Each structure stands twice: as structure tokens, then as C-alpha cells.
Amino acid sequence: MDDVRAHVVVSGRVQGVWFRASTRDVARRLGLRGWVRNVPNGDVEAVFEGPRPQVEEAIAWCRRGPPAARVDHCDVIWEEPRGEGPFEVRF
């Protein structure tokens, strides 16, 4: 099965609630590659690469987030995979 790439932007109360660390843990558990980072406007941005079912599971998690988060929007753009490395939190 070919890998896919999803570029995700999550908005709401998503900074200061362990969103990035939790996203990293979920992505690593699912065996995905990519990254997650805070955006200056208060959003969280992530890229997930891997098999479509696991990427879709990561997106579904992002729509909920960790317990302290409040997700208002989760926008997904499907892109061509670029060969991301091991999933990491970017600063």
C-alpha cells in the first residue's frame, strides 16, 4: 500500500494543553512519520505520512485532541508524500 501525506491545521484551544506532545505520541504509536508545531496565531500544524488508515486515525484524533483541548476546526490538505523522517515536535 502506498503512503499518503496529510497536512493538518487545528484551531481552537490547542496550545498549552499538551496537544503537540500528545500528537507526537499518537503518531509514533501509529508508526507515522512527520512533525507537529505551534503556529504563532494559536493554531497547531502537523504533517502525517504513512499508510492511509493510520493517517486517517491520526486526523480523527486531531479532531478531538487531548482532554484539555477544545478543537474548533481541523483542516486537512492531502499532498504528495515527501519522505518525512521520524515523527517529531518542531519548535
Side-chain angles (χ1 to χ4, degrees):
M1 179 179 286
D2 292 336
D3 284 350
V4 297
R5 175 186 177 97
H7 186 164
V8 179
V9 177
V10 186
S11 60
R13 189 177 70 226
V14 294
Q15 291 191 14
V17 294
W18 293 95
F19 205 102
R20 290 176 301 159
S22 299
T23 301
R24 177 197 60 214
D25 294 347
V26 167
R28 287 180 177 174
R29 178 178 53 81
L30 293 170
L32 298 176
R33 299 173 312 283
W35 49 266
V36 62
R37 67 181 173 194
N38 284 342
V39 182
N41 71 357
D43 292 348
V44 168
E45 178 182 29
V47 165
F48 301 105
E49 281 191 6
R52 181 174 287 274
Q54 286 87 339
V55 170
E56 289 178 348
E57 189 174 338
I59 293 168
W61 182 88
C62 284
R63 294 186 195 283
R64 297 183 311 272
R70 187 197 71 243
V71 175
D72 293 336
H73 297 286
C74 183
D75 297 322
V76 180
I77 300 170
W78 294 94
E79 303 173 338
E80 289 297 315
R82 299 182 190 167
E84 294 289 340
F87 204 91
E88 64 182 5
V89 174
R90 291 191 176 169
F91 297 95

